[in-house]
């Protein structure tokens, strides 16, 4: 079962880019990397998923190096509404979709 | 399209009482999950059901039972509630079992307090 490690918290300012790195040293060949966002009193919401290199959608980018032992979620030009907890998951066949502690991102004006 | 619906949203129990949290999804998803989230903590998997008719333990199954009633519904039962089970419970569903590039869809949560 691939374990993930993320920073506990990060502060940023409106308009800046936020990069959150997740370590997953024992990721398996068939595992995917997925990021979720959670606001207070809500369930997590899917942000982005990738397997290797770079994936981009309308809200974020996900960078995965060749060895896939880490991944970086990039949030461009954050706003106050991006203040949330961000979770990195490693999903593989038979994985029990385990969430780690997440990274609390605080965006300041 | 309601997505994942959990009931009740709030519940207060006394120690030793039993209750069932209900979860239903209308997305025709195969897999369903129950998580708990304690204050300031991440989510911990209690039980999951990869497909209709199957259930399996997650990280913290002790004190809980589940039933995959049909493809739509997945219930979580506390047989004898304890204060340590005070938490927010989230149900989730996905089209495919974990590990096959699936996306989890979560309900709004059920806040349980055990006195």
């Amino acid at each position: 079962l691939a374990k993930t490690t993320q920073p506990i918290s990060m502060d940023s300012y409106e308009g800046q880019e936020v990069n959150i790195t997740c370590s997953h040293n024992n990721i398996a060949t068939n595992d995917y990397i997925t990021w979720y966002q959670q606001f207070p009193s809500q369930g997590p919401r899917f942000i982005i998923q990738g397997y290797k290199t770079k994936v981009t959608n309308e809200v974020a980018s996900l960078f995965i190096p060749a060895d896939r032992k880490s991944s970086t979620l990039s949030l461009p030009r954050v706003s106050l509404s991006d203040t949330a907890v961000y979770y990195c998951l490693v999903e593989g066949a038979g994985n029990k979709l385990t969430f780690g502690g997440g990274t609390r991102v605080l965006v300041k004006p | 399209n309601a997505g994942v619906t959990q009931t009740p949203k709030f519940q207060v129990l006394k120690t030793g009482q039993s209750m069932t949290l209900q979860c239903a999804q209308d997305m025709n998803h195969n897999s369903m999950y129950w998580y708990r989230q304690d204050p300031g903590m991440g989510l911990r998997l209690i039980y999951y059901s990869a497909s209709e008719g199957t259930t399996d333990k997650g990280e913290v199954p002790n004190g809980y039972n589940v039933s995959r009633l049909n493809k739509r519904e997945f219930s979580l039962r506390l047989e004898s509630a304890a204060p340590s089970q005070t938490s927010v419970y989230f149900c989730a569903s996905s089209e495919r079992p974990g590990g096959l590039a699936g996306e989890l869809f979560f309900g709004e949560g059920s806040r349980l307090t055990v006195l």
Side-chain angles (χ1 to χ4, degrees):
Chain A
L1 189 63
K3 180 178 171 62
T4 61
T5 303
Q6 308 172 228
I8 293 174
S9 64
M10 300 178 71
D11 288 358
S12 183
Y13 291 91
E14 281 191 294
Q16 289 189 336
E17 180 181 78
V18 171
N19 295 305
I20 310 170
T21 296
C22 178
S23 297
H24 28 79
N25 291 322
N26 59 341
I27 189 169
T29 303
N30 295 325
D31 289 349
Y32 284 79
I33 299 149
T34 312
W35 286 80
Y36 286 82
Q37 175 191 55
Q38 186 180 29
F39 297 114
S41 302
Q42 295 185 23
R45 184 178 67 175
F46 174 91
I47 301 176
I48 196 166
Q49 184 175 67
Y51 182 78
K52 61 180 179 180
T53 62
K54 177 183 175 182
V55 179
T56 298
N57 61 23
E58 63 275 10
V59 297
S61 295
L62 178 59
F63 299 91
I64 305 168
D67 66 5
R68 301 196 334 117
K69 294 184 183 299
S70 67
S71 58
T72 298
L73 175 72
S74 180
L75 305 172
R77 299 179 298 280
V78 294
S79 64
L80 297 177
S81 62
D82 292 315
T83 292
V85 179
Y86 293 83
Y87 295 96
C88 163
L89 272 74
V90 171
E91 301 186 28
N95 273 3
K96 296 182 178 181
L97 297 184
T98 302
F99 285 73
T103 299
R104 295 182 178 276
V105 172
L106 175 62
V107 179
K108 303 175 183 178
Chain B
N1 190 340
V4 178
T5 302
Q6 295 182 228
T7 56
K9 289 186 170 47
F10 301 92
Q11 184 71 49
V12 179
L13 292 177
K14 294 181 179 178
T15 297
Q17 287 185 320
S18 62
M19 77 156 299
T20 299
L21 298 176
Q22 306 285 354
C23 175
Q25 52 90 8
D26 61 4
M27 296 171 283
N28 201 34
H29 284 171
N30 289 301
S31 302
M32 298 184 74
Y33 313 80
W34 275 106
Y35 289 89
R36 62 175 287 176
Q37 186 172 36
D38 299 332
M41 306 291 287
L43 287 85
R44 291 186 292 171
L45 183 64
I46 305 171
Y47 271 93
Y48 69 103
S49 171
S51 61
E52 184 179 358
T54 68
T55 61
D56 205 348
K57 296 178 180 179
E59 303 172 79
V60 289
N62 291 342
Y64 304 95
N65 286 301
V66 290
S67 295
R68 184 74 183 266
L69 304 170
N70 47 55
K71 192 171 185 178
R72 290 186 64 249
E73 298 172 290
F74 189 39
S75 63
L76 178 71
R77 182 161 178 83
L78 286 71
E79 291 291 351
S80 179
S84 61
Q85 294 178 304
T86 293
S87 190
V88 179
Y89 291 84
F90 288 101
C91 178
S93 70
S94 66
E95 183 179 3
R96 294 177 289 261
L100 300 178
E103 174 184 342
L104 285 173
F105 293 82
F106 283 84
E108 294 184 352
S110 297
R111 297 178 182 281
L112 176 65
T113 301
V114 183
L115 303 175

